[in-house]
Amino acid sequence: MSCKRGALIVLEGVDKAGKTTQCKKLVHALQQSGRPAEMMRFPERTTQIGQLISSYLEKKNYLEDHTVHLLFSANRWELVPLMKKKLEQGITLVVDRYAFSGVAFTSAKPDFSLEWCKHPDVGLPKPDLVMFLQLNPSVAAERGEFGTERYENSTFQRAVQQRFEQLMKDPSVNWKVIDAARSIDIVHSDIKVLCENIMNMSENLPIGEL
Ligand code: DGP
């Protein structure tokens, strides 16, 4: 008996858009409806590469900007065998950030082109759906203070938002923009509908490549 593959679903957005909350709610809802689903997140801080990234984000170490970009990408690549295995087992993966955060965050730094930033992630499994949780920076600011990690300031986040807007022009990626300023439950029900549609469409298609 051949098993239908799971869908690769990614949530992206600037900090405070509600990605983690929505990923958890989505996995729970899918599981409740009898669909095997698991959450993943990037950076995955538990691997050796992830630990280097984590201490960089916590400002405990310094890494050169190109180097850290490649490490974030390597962190995605090291999880690819596991991701493929789960998808092939019919498990839908709901991923909190992916290569698009990689490109948006590094290219928001001076002197990094989108093209250079995209290269290391070429060939990664392609998401069947990327939902961008859209949140105006002033509304994000009302959700509380930024933490103390690297990148957590509103000037940088505005630059990241602009890079995401450029990335969303790529028609080869299935982007859907979600208004994240609404209540958690309303955002969740929009996300669920989009997922159910894509899961039915993608289950018979091969996993694509970025
Ligand atoms: P999170 O654990 O989702 O809060 O993400 C940690 C921070 O790292 C967040 O500010 C976004 C940033 N980030 C996530 N992925 C990448 C990446 O691939 N490259 C860079 N430069 N930053 C990233």
Side-chain angles (χ1 to χ4, degrees):
M1 192 186 79
S2 75
C3 158
K4 293 189 189 292
R5 76 164 172 94
L8 180 55
I9 293 167
V10 170
L11 269 79
E12 287 281 10
V14 292
D15 292 4
K16 293 188 189 297
K19 294 179 297 300
T20 306
T21 304
Q22 292 296 339
C23 282
K24 287 182 182 160
K25 279 183 83 72
L26 176 60
V27 169
H28 184 70
L30 293 174
Q31 288 172 345
Q32 290 292 105
S33 66
R35 305 255 205 174
E38 291 182 17
M39 180 170 164
M40 292 183 77
R41 65 180 313 149
F42 290 108
E44 171 47 69
R45 300 187 191 215
T46 57
T47 67
Q48 280 186 310
I49 293 170
Q51 284 166 25
L52 258 178
I53 292 170
S54 189
S55 51
Y56 166 81
L57 288 169
E58 291 165 19
K59 300 182 191 158
K60 290 182 184 156
N61 66 6
Y62 167 78
L63 291 164
E64 192 275 333
D65 286 332
H66 298 79
T67 310
V68 82
H69 183 72
L70 297 174
L71 285 174
F72 272 106
S73 178
N75 183 233
R76 289 183 280 275
W77 277 107
E78 67 180 335
L79 270 301
V80 167
L82 182 67
M83 291 171 76
K84 285 191 170 163
K85 188 171 140 205
K86 288 187 183 285
L87 292 171
E88 281 156 11
Q89 285 171 341
I91 299 169
T92 286
L93 296 178
V94 176
V95 187
D96 186 349
R97 295 190 190 279
Y98 197 51
F100 313 98
S101 275
V103 177
F105 277 77
T106 300
S107 68
K109 298 178 181 180
D111 304 325
F112 280 90
S113 70
L114 282 186
E115 283 318 306
W116 188 89
C117 292
K118 281 181 178 179
H119 275 294
D121 290 314
V122 169
L124 282 178
K126 187 177 201 158
D128 297 295
L129 172 66
V130 187
M131 288 177 280
F132 183 76
L133 298 195
Q134 180 85 267
L135 191 67
N136 186 296
S138 56
V139 180
E142 284 166 18
R143 292 190 173 178
E145 295 292 308
F146 281 113
T148 55
E149 284 204 335
R150 214 179 280 272
Y151 305 146
E152 291 186 329
N153 69 78
S154 42
T155 311
F156 192 72
Q157 294 286 328
R158 265 194 294 274
V160 171
Q161 166 87 24
Q162 283 175 356
R163 296 302 185 278
F164 272 125
E165 278 162 17
Q166 282 176 269
L167 290 176
M168 282 190 269
K169 291 180 187 153
D170 179 354
S172 73
V173 174
N174 183 18
W175 286 100
K176 298 283 181 215
V177 179
I178 312 259
D179 174 6
R182 299 167 303 159
S183 76
I184 290 177
D185 287 336
I186 290 175
V187 172
H188 171 63
S189 61
D190 272 12
I191 287 178
K192 217 167 49 173
V193 171
L194 286 170
C195 284
E196 274 156 11
N197 293 341
I198 203 68
M199 284 165 76
N200 293 333
M201 279 164 58
S202 59
E203 61 188 11
N204 294 311
L205 299 174
I207 303 166
E209 286 187 358
L210 279 185

Coordinates of all heavy atoms in Angstrom, one line a residue, residues 20-81:
T20 N 4.8 31.2 16.1 CA 4.9 30.0 17.0 C 3.6 29.6 17.5 O 3.2 28.4 17.5 CB 5.9 30.3 18.1 OG1 7.1 30.7 17.5 CG2 6.2 29.0 18.9
T21 N 2.8 30.5 18.0 CA 1.4 30.2 18.5 C 0.6 29.6 17.4 O -0.1 28.6 17.6 CB 0.7 31.6 18.9 OG1 1.5 32.3 19.8 CG2 -0.7 31.4 19.5
Q22 N 0.7 30.1 16.2 CA -0.2 29.6 15.1 C 0.3 28.2 14.6 O -0.5 27.3 14.3 CB -0.2 30.6 13.9 CG -1.0 31.9 14.2 CD -2.5 31.6 14.5 OE1 -3.0 30.6 14.2 NE2 -3.1 32.6 15.2
C23 N 1.6 28.0 14.6 CA 2.2 26.7 14.3 C 1.6 25.6 15.3 O 1.2 24.5 14.8 CB 3.7 26.6 14.3 SG 4.5 27.4 12.9
K24 N 1.7 25.9 16.6 CA 1.2 25.0 17.6 C -0.3 24.7 17.4 O -0.7 23.5 17.5 CB 1.5 25.5 19.0 CG 3.0 25.5 19.3 CD 3.2 26.0 20.7 CE 4.7 26.0 21.1 NZ 5.0 26.9 22.2
K25 N -1.0 25.7 17.2 CA -2.5 25.5 17.1 C -2.8 24.7 15.8 O -3.7 23.9 15.9 CB -3.2 26.9 17.0 CG -3.5 27.6 18.4 CD -4.2 28.8 18.2 CE -5.7 28.7 18.1 NZ -6.3 28.3 19.4
L26 N -2.1 25.0 14.8 CA -2.3 24.2 13.5 C -2.0 22.8 13.7 O -2.8 21.9 13.3 CB -1.5 24.9 12.4 CG -1.6 24.2 11.0 CD1 -3.1 24.1 10.5 CD2 -0.7 24.8 10.0
V27 N -0.9 22.5 14.3 CA -0.5 21.0 14.5 C -1.6 20.4 15.3 O -2.0 19.3 15.0 CB 0.9 20.9 15.1 CG1 1.2 19.5 15.6 CG2 2.0 21.4 14.2
H28 N -2.0 21.0 16.4 CA -3.0 20.5 17.3 C -4.3 20.2 16.5 O -4.9 19.1 16.6 CB -3.2 21.4 18.4 CG -4.2 20.9 19.5 ND1 -3.9 19.8 20.3 CD2 -5.5 21.2 19.8 CE1 -4.9 19.6 21.1 NE2 -5.9 20.4 20.8
A29 N -4.7 21.2 15.7 CA -6.0 21.0 14.9 C -5.9 19.9 13.9 O -6.8 19.1 13.7 CB -6.3 22.3 14.2
L30 N -4.7 19.8 13.2 CA -4.6 18.7 12.3 C -4.6 17.4 12.9 O -5.3 16.4 12.5 CB -3.2 18.9 11.5 CG -3.2 20.1 10.6 CD1 -1.8 20.3 10.0 CD2 -4.2 20.0 9.4
Q31 N -3.9 17.3 14.1 CA -3.9 16.0 14.8 C -5.3 15.6 15.3 O -5.7 14.5 15.2 CB -3.0 16.1 16.0 CG -1.5 16.1 15.6 CD -0.5 16.4 16.7 OE1 -1.0 16.8 17.8 NE2 0.7 16.1 16.5
Q32 N -6.1 16.6 15.8 CA -7.4 16.4 16.2 C -8.3 15.9 15.1 O -9.2 15.1 15.3 CB -8.1 17.7 16.7 CG -7.5 18.2 18.0 CD -7.8 17.3 19.2 OE1 -7.0 16.6 19.7 NE2 -9.0 17.4 19.7
S33 N -8.0 16.3 13.9 CA -8.8 15.8 12.7 C -8.3 14.6 12.1 O -8.7 14.2 11.0 CB -9.0 16.9 11.7 OG -7.7 17.2 11.1
G34 N -7.3 13.9 12.8 CA -6.9 12.6 12.4 C -5.7 12.7 11.4 O -5.4 11.6 10.8
R35 N -5.2 13.9 11.1 CA -4.1 13.9 10.2 C -2.7 13.9 10.9 O -2.5 14.8 11.8 CB -4.1 15.3 9.4 CG -5.4 15.5 8.7 CD -5.2 15.3 7.3 NE -6.2 16.1 6.5 CZ -6.1 16.1 5.1 NH1 -5.2 15.5 4.5 NH2 -7.0 16.8 4.5
P36 N -1.8 13.0 10.6 CA -0.5 13.1 11.3 C 0.2 14.4 11.0 O 0.4 14.7 9.8 CB 0.2 11.9 10.7 CG -0.7 11.1 9.8 CD -1.9 12.0 9.6
A37 N 0.6 15.1 12.0 CA 1.3 16.4 11.8 C 2.3 16.6 12.9 O 2.0 16.2 14.1 CB 0.2 17.5 11.8
E38 N 3.4 17.2 12.6 CA 4.4 17.6 13.6 C 4.9 19.0 13.3 O 4.9 19.4 12.2 CB 5.6 16.6 13.5 CG 5.2 15.2 14.0 CD 6.4 14.2 14.0 OE1 7.5 14.7 13.9 OE2 6.1 13.0 14.0
M39 N 5.4 19.6 14.4 CA 6.0 21.0 14.2 C 7.5 20.9 14.2 O 8.1 20.0 14.8 CB 5.5 21.8 15.4 CG 6.1 23.2 15.4 SD 5.3 24.3 16.6 CE 6.5 25.6 16.6
M40 N 8.1 21.7 13.3 CA 9.5 21.9 13.3 C 9.8 23.4 13.4 O 8.9 24.2 13.1 CB 10.2 21.3 12.1 CG 10.1 19.8 12.0 SD 10.9 19.2 10.5 CE 12.6 19.3 11.0
R41 N 11.0 23.8 13.8 CA 11.3 25.2 13.7 C 12.8 25.4 13.3 O 13.6 24.5 13.6 CB 11.1 25.8 15.1 CG 11.9 25.3 16.2 CD 11.6 26.0 17.5 NE 11.5 27.5 17.3 CZ 10.7 28.3 18.0 NH1 10.0 27.7 19.0 NH2 10.7 29.5 17.8
F42 N 13.0 26.5 12.7 CA 14.4 26.9 12.3 C 14.6 28.3 12.9 O 13.7 29.1 12.7 CB 14.6 26.8 10.8 CG 14.6 25.4 10.3 CD1 13.6 24.9 9.6 CD2 15.7 24.6 10.6 CE1 13.6 23.6 9.1 CE2 15.7 23.3 10.2 CZ 14.7 22.8 9.4
P43 N 15.8 28.6 13.4 CA 16.8 27.6 13.7 C 16.4 26.6 14.7 O 15.7 26.8 15.6 CB 18.0 28.5 14.2 CG 17.3 29.7 14.8 CD 16.1 29.9 14.0
E44 N 16.9 25.3 14.4 CA 16.7 24.2 15.3 C 18.0 24.2 16.2 O 19.1 23.8 15.8 CB 16.6 22.9 14.6 CG 16.6 21.6 15.4 CD 15.7 21.7 16.6 OE1 14.5 21.8 16.4 OE2 16.2 21.8 17.8
R45 N 17.8 24.8 17.5 CA 18.9 25.1 18.3 C 19.6 23.9 19.0 O 20.6 24.1 19.7 CB 18.5 26.2 19.3 CG 18.0 27.5 18.7 CD 17.7 28.5 19.7 NE 17.0 29.7 19.2 CZ 17.2 30.9 19.5 NH1 18.1 31.2 20.4 NH2 16.5 31.9 19.0
T46 N 19.0 22.7 18.9 CA 19.5 21.6 19.7 C 20.7 20.9 19.0 O 21.4 20.2 19.7 CB 18.4 20.6 19.9 OG1 17.9 20.1 18.7 CG2 17.3 21.2 20.8
T47 N 21.0 21.1 17.7 CA 22.1 20.4 17.1 C 23.4 21.2 17.4 O 23.3 22.3 18.0 CB 21.9 20.4 15.6 OG1 22.0 21.7 15.1 CG2 20.6 19.8 15.2
Q48 N 24.5 20.6 17.0 CA 25.8 21.4 17.3 C 25.8 22.7 16.6 O 26.2 23.7 17.1 CB 27.0 20.5 16.9 CG 27.3 19.5 17.9 CD 28.6 18.7 17.6 OE1 28.8 18.3 16.4 NE2 29.5 18.6 18.5
I49 N 25.4 22.7 15.3 CA 25.3 23.9 14.5 C 24.3 24.9 15.1 O 24.5 26.1 15.3 CB 25.0 23.6 13.0 CG1 26.1 22.9 12.4 CG2 24.7 24.9 12.3 CD1 25.8 22.3 11.0
G50 N 23.2 24.3 15.6 CA 22.1 25.1 16.2 C 22.6 25.8 17.5 O 22.2 26.9 17.8
Q51 N 23.5 25.1 18.2 CA 24.0 25.7 19.5 C 24.9 26.9 19.2 O 24.9 27.9 19.9 CB 24.7 24.6 20.3 CG 23.8 23.7 21.0 CD 24.4 22.4 21.5 OE1 25.6 22.4 21.8 NE2 23.7 21.3 21.6
L52 N 25.7 26.8 18.1 CA 26.5 27.9 17.7 C 25.6 29.1 17.3 O 25.9 30.2 17.7 CB 27.3 27.5 16.4 CG 28.7 27.1 16.5 CD1 29.2 26.7 15.1 CD2 29.5 28.3 17.0
I53 N 24.6 28.8 16.5 CA 23.6 29.8 16.1 C 23.0 30.5 17.3 O 22.8 31.7 17.5 CB 22.5 29.3 15.2 CG1 23.2 28.9 13.8 CG2 21.4 30.3 14.9 CD1 22.2 28.1 12.9
S54 N 22.6 29.6 18.3 CA 21.9 30.1 19.5 C 22.7 31.0 20.3 O 22.3 32.1 20.7 CB 21.4 28.9 20.3 OG 20.5 29.4 21.3
S55 N 24.0 30.7 20.4 CA 24.8 31.6 21.2 C 25.2 32.9 20.5 O 25.3 33.9 21.0 CB 26.1 30.9 21.8 OG 26.8 30.3 20.8
Y56 N 25.2 32.8 19.1 CA 25.3 34.0 18.3 C 24.1 34.9 18.5 O 24.2 36.1 18.7 CB 25.4 33.6 16.8 CG 25.3 34.8 15.9 CD1 26.3 35.6 15.6 CD2 24.0 35.0 15.2 CE1 26.1 36.7 14.7 CE2 23.8 36.0 14.3 CZ 24.9 36.9 14.1 OH 24.7 37.9 13.2
L57 N 22.9 34.3 18.5 CA 21.7 35.1 18.7 C 21.6 35.7 20.1 O 21.2 36.8 20.3 CB 20.4 34.3 18.4 CG 20.2 33.9 16.9 CD1 19.1 32.9 16.8 CD2 19.8 35.1 16.1
E58 N 22.1 35.0 21.0 CA 22.1 35.5 22.4 C 23.3 36.4 22.7 O 23.5 36.9 23.8 CB 22.2 34.3 23.4 CG 21.0 33.4 23.5 CD 21.3 32.1 24.1 OE1 22.3 31.9 24.9 OE2 20.5 31.1 23.9
K59 N 24.0 36.7 21.6 CA 25.2 37.7 21.7 C 26.3 37.2 22.6 O 27.0 37.9 23.2 CB 24.8 39.1 22.1 CG 23.7 39.7 21.2 CD 23.4 41.1 21.6 CE 22.2 41.7 20.9 NZ 21.5 42.7 21.7
K60 N 26.4 35.8 22.7 CA 27.5 35.3 23.6 C 28.7 35.0 22.7 O 29.8 34.7 23.2 CB 27.0 33.9 24.2 CG 26.0 34.1 25.3 CD 25.6 32.8 25.9 CE 24.5 33.0 26.9 NZ 23.7 31.7 27.1
N61 N 28.5 35.0 21.4 CA 29.7 34.9 20.5 C 29.5 35.8 19.3 O 28.4 36.2 19.0 CB 30.0 33.4 20.1 CG 29.0 32.8 19.2 OD1 28.0 33.5 18.8 ND2 29.1 31.5 18.9
Y62 N 30.6 36.0 18.6 CA 30.5 36.8 17.4 C 30.8 35.9 16.2 O 31.8 35.2 16.2 CB 31.5 38.0 17.4 CG 31.7 38.7 16.0 CD1 30.7 39.5 15.5 CD2 32.7 38.3 15.2 CE1 30.8 40.1 14.3 CE2 32.8 38.9 13.9 CZ 31.9 39.7 13.5 OH 32.0 40.3 12.2
L63 N 30.0 36.0 15.1 CA 30.3 35.3 13.9 C 30.2 36.2 12.8 O 29.3 37.1 12.7 CB 29.3 34.1 13.7 CG 29.4 33.0 14.7 CD1 28.2 32.1 14.6 CD2 30.7 32.1 14.4
E64 N 31.1 36.1 11.8 CA 31.1 37.0 10.6 C 29.8 36.7 9.9 O 29.3 35.6 9.9 CB 32.4 36.6 9.8 CG 32.7 37.5 8.7 CD 31.9 37.2 7.4 OE1 31.5 36.0 7.2 OE2 31.7 38.1 6.6
D65 N 29.3 37.8 9.2 CA 27.9 37.7 8.7 C 27.7 36.7 7.6 O 26.6 36.0 7.6 CB 27.5 39.1 8.1 CG 27.2 40.1 9.2 OD1 26.7 39.7 10.3 OD2 27.4 41.3 9.0
H66 N 28.7 36.5 6.7 CA 28.5 35.5 5.7 C 28.5 34.1 6.3 O 27.8 33.2 6.0 CB 29.7 35.5 4.6 CG 29.7 36.8 3.9 ND1 30.3 37.9 4.4 CD2 29.3 37.1 2.6 CE1 30.2 38.9 3.5 NE2 29.6 38.4 2.4
T67 N 29.4 34.0 7.3 CA 29.6 32.7 8.0 C 28.3 32.3 8.7 O 27.9 31.1 8.6 CB 30.7 32.8 9.1 OG1 31.9 33.4 8.4 CG2 31.1 31.5 9.7
V68 N 27.7 33.2 9.4 CA 26.5 32.9 10.1 C 25.3 32.6 9.1 O 24.5 31.7 9.4 CB 26.1 34.0 11.2 CG1 25.4 35.1 10.6 CG2 25.3 33.3 12.3
H69 N 25.3 33.3 8.0 CA 24.3 32.9 7.0 C 24.4 31.5 6.6 O 23.4 30.8 6.5 CB 24.5 33.9 5.8 CG 23.4 33.6 4.7 ND1 22.1 34.0 4.9 CD2 23.5 33.0 3.5 CE1 21.4 33.7 3.9 NE2 22.2 33.1 3.0
L70 N 25.7 31.0 6.3 CA 25.9 29.7 5.9 C 25.5 28.7 7.0 O 25.1 27.6 6.7 CB 27.3 29.5 5.4 CG 27.7 30.4 4.2 CD1 29.1 30.3 3.8 CD2 26.8 30.0 2.9
L71 N 25.8 29.1 8.2 CA 25.4 28.2 9.3 C 23.9 28.0 9.5 O 23.4 26.9 9.7 CB 26.0 28.7 10.7 CG 27.5 28.5 10.9 CD1 28.0 29.2 12.1 CD2 27.9 27.1 10.9
F72 N 23.1 29.1 9.3 CA 21.7 29.0 9.4 C 21.2 28.0 8.3 O 20.3 27.2 8.5 CB 21.0 30.3 9.2 CG 20.8 31.2 10.4 CD1 21.6 32.3 10.7 CD2 19.8 30.8 11.3 CE1 21.4 33.1 11.8 CE2 19.5 31.6 12.4 CZ 20.3 32.7 12.7
S73 N 21.8 28.2 7.1 CA 21.4 27.3 6.0 C 21.8 25.8 6.3 O 21.1 24.9 6.0 CB 22.1 27.8 4.7 OG 21.8 26.9 3.6
A74 N 23.1 25.6 6.8 CA 23.5 24.3 7.1 C 22.6 23.7 8.2 O 22.3 22.4 8.1 CB 25.0 24.4 7.7
N75 N 22.1 24.5 9.1 CA 21.1 24.0 10.1 C 19.8 23.4 9.4 O 19.3 22.4 9.9 CB 20.8 25.1 11.0 CG 19.9 24.8 12.2 OD1 18.9 25.4 12.5 ND2 20.3 23.7 13.0
R76 N 19.4 24.1 8.3 CA 18.3 23.6 7.6 C 18.7 22.3 6.9 O 17.9 21.3 6.9 CB 17.7 24.6 6.6 CG 17.0 25.8 7.3 CD 16.4 26.8 6.4 NE 17.4 27.7 5.8 CZ 17.7 28.9 6.4 NH1 17.3 29.2 7.6 NH2 18.6 29.7 5.8
W77 N 19.8 22.3 6.2 CA 20.3 21.1 5.4 C 20.4 19.9 6.3 O 20.1 18.8 5.9 CB 21.6 21.4 4.7 CG 21.3 22.1 3.4 CD1 21.6 23.4 3.1 CD2 20.8 21.5 2.2 NE1 21.2 23.7 1.8 CE2 20.7 22.5 1.2 CE3 20.3 20.3 1.9 CZ2 20.2 22.3 -0.1 CZ3 19.8 20.0 0.6 CH2 19.8 21.1 -0.4
E78 N 20.9 20.1 7.6 CA 21.2 18.9 8.4 C 19.9 18.2 8.8 O 19.9 17.1 9.2 CB 22.0 19.2 9.6 CG 21.4 20.1 10.6 CD 22.3 20.4 11.8 OE1 23.2 19.6 12.1 OE2 22.1 21.5 12.5
L79 N 18.7 18.9 8.7 CA 17.4 18.3 9.1 C 16.7 17.8 7.8 O 15.6 17.2 8.0 CB 16.6 19.4 9.8 CG 16.7 19.5 11.3 CD1 16.3 18.2 12.0 CD2 18.0 20.0 11.8
V80 N 17.3 17.9 6.6 CA 16.6 17.5 5.4 C 16.3 16.0 5.4 O 15.1 15.6 5.1 CB 17.3 18.0 4.1 CG1 16.8 17.2 2.9 CG2 17.2 19.5 4.0
P81 N 17.2 15.1 5.8 CA 16.9 13.7 5.7 C 15.7 13.4 6.6 O 14.8 12.6 6.2 CB 18.2 13.0 6.2 CG 19.3 14.0 5.9 CD 18.7 15.4 6.1

